[in-house]
Amino acid sequence: MCETDKESPKGLKIITLFEFLKKFKRLKPLEPSPGVVGFFFFSVCLILCLFLLDYKTVSRGFLTHGQRGLITWVGLNGSKSGGDGRVGFLEDGGGDCDVFSGNWVWDDSYPLYKSENCFLADKGFRCSENGRPDNFYTKWRWQPNDCNLPRFDAKNMLENLRNRRLVFVGDSIGRNQWESLLCMLSSKIEDKSSVYEVNGSPITKHSGFLAFKFRDYNCTVEYYRAPFLVLLTRAPAGAPKKVKTTLKLDQLDWSFKLWKGADVLIFNSGHWWNYQKTIREGCYFREGEDMKMEMSVESAYRRSIETVMDWIESEVNTSKTQVFFRSYAPVHFRGGDWKTGGSCHMETLPDLSSSPLTAESWIRLKIAVEVLSERSEKSDLNKLEFLNVTHMSSRRKDGHSSLYYLGPETGPAPLHRQDCSHWCLPGVPDSWNELLYVLFLKWANARADNSTELPNTR
């Protein structure tokens, strides 16, 4: 026969559910048990403490590897950082702020434009129109830790670009950024016909260059496709059979003569500097007439950046032309790459921690930083701006085109053919351009303070 009460092996009394209910029923509502009351208040306090801890963790960010975490929740009401004690980047005392050290914060007033309202974006970047069901990736704003950025003002930037040329040179991620800036600038242009490609070319993937003119400001925003920055040529006579093409590491891409005379130059490179797109495809390296069959991709990449720096030092007046070098923007393939079924389509939020960079991202960043640092100590290249977007972009696994790059008439791509390299527009490249904007204004203001005018090279 079962006993009502019995001792457990550890000496704890065990009672049946029936006995528990009988005892509970005997409790008088107006004379609560001290034990029950104490337990109730202890539970409430514990819950409140856990809630407060969680709130502080989210609002202040997770601390990993000595860095602040990625996300700072500021509410879904479009609240800005104003009034938080940070100085404005363009205000007195804000100029030394590291704008690349910060967090992604939710801002319901974003995005700065909608893709359906921008006629200058390639269909491959129009994720929402191509079927992406969420728009969370458009709502994140970059917030530096120690200062506030002014909101992007298209008319202000266009006014500062009046009678001038802004030129992007690089790979298709550079084109991604270029189209982002075109959308940002054209968002405040009422007469859309006043913005046009100077040769009448459509804005799509191509092998040459495109230049869009903003007629009312007499300025152009141009893109030159040069994925390696240096010259890609056929294999020389007598080269080994496995050599299909060569990269002349001591010569710039064929389009370099067209870059000269720009008032703002933005270089980027890195996405094509890997084994898959070079040596595996039979693309080897060359300096002068010497084939460098044993040279590593990393060494060749370093040499290519040095060649670009040589050209800037000898051919560009950095007192009149502002030069940027944008760092490598990480990819976020999981389980493979773009050829082997890598994916990112399930990502809808940024990383909540400051995860370390992948080996590929770290090497690309390290090489660029080392070359630019070495040159800036020895020449006038200390005026070159390093647009360091690697760390901030590494946290945005949610921002890629993934399945949504084929156009609305085609629909999402197959699961095994995802694009986790390029970025949706509006999206992450807009934040790169917001940083470009404030650094451009800082440069323009400094020149104005020196009682000089920005150069007119038209």
Side-chain angles (χ1 to χ4, degrees):
M1 184 176 69
C2 294
E3 297 180 357
T4 302
D5 293 3
K6 64 179 181 180
E7 294 293 325
S8 71
K10 294 184 178 181
L12 298 176
K13 181 175 287 187
I14 299 176
I15 64 175
T16 65
L17 176 62
F18 178 73
E19 283 294 319
F20 174 79
L21 291 175
K22 284 193 349 183
K23 291 184 178 183
F24 186 82
K25 187 176 181 181
R26 287 197 296 268
L27 292 174
K28 296 181 181 180
L30 299 179
E31 298 178 8
S33 166
V36 172
V37 173
F39 178 77
F40 173 77
F41 281 108
F42 174 78
S43 300
V44 171
C45 291
L46 179 62
I47 292 171
L48 289 174
C49 289
L50 290 173
F51 176 81
L52 181 61
L53 175 63
D54 183 67
Y55 172 79
K56 288 183 176 180
T57 300
V58 173
S59 64
R60 293 181 181 176
F62 295 88
L63 294 177
T64 305
H65 302 290
Q67 297 179 345
R68 285 198 178 275
L70 176 60
I71 305 302
T72 301
W73 289 94
V74 295
L76 302 181
N77 58 355
S79 59
K80 300 291 192 303
S81 334
D84 57 9
R86 296 187 182 98
V87 65
F89 177 69
L90 297 177
E91 298 174 1
D92 291 341
D96 293 330
C97 172
D98 179 3
V99 295
F100 306 108
S101 176
N103 301 302
W104 290 101
V105 299
W106 181 275
D107 191 328
D108 207 38
S109 70
Y110 274 53
L112 297 171
Y113 60 90
K114 294 184 178 180
S115 62
E116 56 266 32
N117 296 332
C118 180
F119 64 101
L120 300 173
D122 189 295
K123 70 177 182 179
F125 303 145
R126 299 174 177 270
C127 299
S128 62
E129 295 171 72
N130 295 338
R132 180 163 177 169
D134 71 295
N135 71 343
F136 298 152
Y137 65 94
T138 70
K139 296 293 185 180
W140 299 97
R141 173 173 57 83
W142 181 250
Q143 173 62 59
N145 288 327
D146 299 321
C147 63
N148 289 324
L149 303 178
R151 190 174 179 89
F152 181 81
D153 185 332
K155 291 186 176 180
N156 186 26
M157 186 164 191
L158 284 168
E159 193 59 55
N160 278 279
L161 287 173
R162 184 179 291 277
N163 301 324
R164 296 175 178 91
R165 297 173 59 207
L166 185 148
V167 169
F168 286 88
V169 181
D171 53 33
S172 57
I173 309 300
R175 180 170 63 86
N176 212 167
Q177 183 182 4
W178 169 68
E179 292 187 25
S180 160
L181 185 60
L182 286 176
C183 288
M184 294 167 72
L185 292 174
S186 64
S187 65
K188 300 301 182 183
I189 301 294
E190 295 183 5
D191 181 5
K192 302 303 182 184
S193 66
S194 68
V195 182
Y196 55 89
E197 208 286 319
V198 294
N199 296 309
S201 302
I203 187 162
T204 184
K205 293 181 180 179
H206 62 97
S207 58
F209 65 92
L210 291 170
F212 275 81
K213 185 166 187 174
F214 289 75
R215 185 189 65 203
D216 295 342
Y217 296 89
N218 192 35
C219 68
T220 55
V221 181
E222 308 168 28
Y223 164 71
Y224 295 86
R225 183 180 183 273
F228 294 106
L229 295 180
V230 292
L231 187 62
L232 178 66
T233 66
R234 296 177 181 177
K241 289 185 178 180
K242 64 180 180 180
V243 179
K244 308 301 181 186
T245 57
T246 63
L247 282 165
K248 292 188 174 182
L249 302 177
D250 53 355
Q251 293 185 39
L252 290 177
D253 182 85
W254 66 269
S255 62
F256 79 94
K257 292 182 180 179
L258 302 175
W259 315 340
K260 194 170 182 179
D263 300 284
V264 183
L265 264 171
I266 304 105
F267 292 98
N268 92 280
S269 186
H271 282 269
W272 285 56
W273 286 99
N274 55 57
Y275 178 83
Q276 290 74 18
K277 290 192 175 183
T278 54
I279 297 174
R280 192 173 75 175
E281 297 294 328
C283 178
Y284 287 81
F285 313 117
R286 182 179 172 190
E287 288 192 81
E289 298 302 318
D290 298 331
M291 288 294 302
K292 303 291 184 179
M293 300 298 294
E294 303 302 320
M295 180 178 278
S296 68
V297 175
E298 289 75 20
S299 296
Y301 177 52
R302 177 186 296 272
R303 185 70 187 90
S304 73
I305 299 178
E306 290 174 345
T307 297
V308 174
M309 296 301 111
D310 288 341
W311 179 81
I312 294 172
E313 190 171 0
S314 63
E315 300 293 333
V316 178
N317 183 344
T318 54
S319 296
K320 295 182 178 180
T321 297
Q322 188 178 27
V323 183
F324 292 87
F325 190 95
R326 179 178 60 72
S327 67
Y328 177 79
V331 301
H332 290 92
F333 289 99
R334 291 182 181 271
D337 57 27
W338 69 280
K339 279 188 174 181
T340 59
S343 66
C344 57
H345 67 293
M346 298 298 290
E347 307 292 354
T348 58
L349 293 172
D351 275 326
L352 292 177
S353 63
S354 53
S355 303
L357 297 175
T358 63
E360 181 182 34
S361 298
W362 171 247
I363 290 172
R364 300 289 180 274
L365 177 61
K366 179 174 179 288
I367 290 173
V369 168
E370 287 177 351
V371 173
L372 270 60
S373 297
E374 291 167 2
R375 292 305 184 92
S376 65
E377 293 174 357
K378 301 176 182 178
S379 68
D380 204 31
L381 289 179
N382 59 352
K383 295 179 181 179
L384 183 147
E385 293 280 3
F386 185 51
L387 203 60
N388 186 4
V389 304
T390 303
H391 284 283
M392 63 185 285
S393 305
S394 71
R395 303 170 181 177
R396 292 304 307 274
K397 57 191 172 76
D398 59 312
H400 294 288
S401 303
S402 63
L403 302 173
Y404 310 103
Y405 61 88
L406 293 179
E409 67 282 353
T410 305
L415 287 175
H416 66 282
R417 296 293 291 178
Q418 298 193 31
D419 183 351
C420 304
S421 298
H422 297 96
W423 305 85
C424 296
L425 294 181
V428 173
D430 301 337
S431 295
W432 305 345
N433 284 325
E434 288 182 280
L435 296 175
L436 175 72
Y437 169 67
V438 298
L439 293 172
F440 171 66
L441 289 186
K442 178 183 177 182
W443 177 77
N445 292 344
R447 300 198 69 225
D449 289 343
N450 291 330
S451 301
T452 61
E453 296 182 356
L454 287 170
N456 186 335
T457 61
R458 304 295 286 183

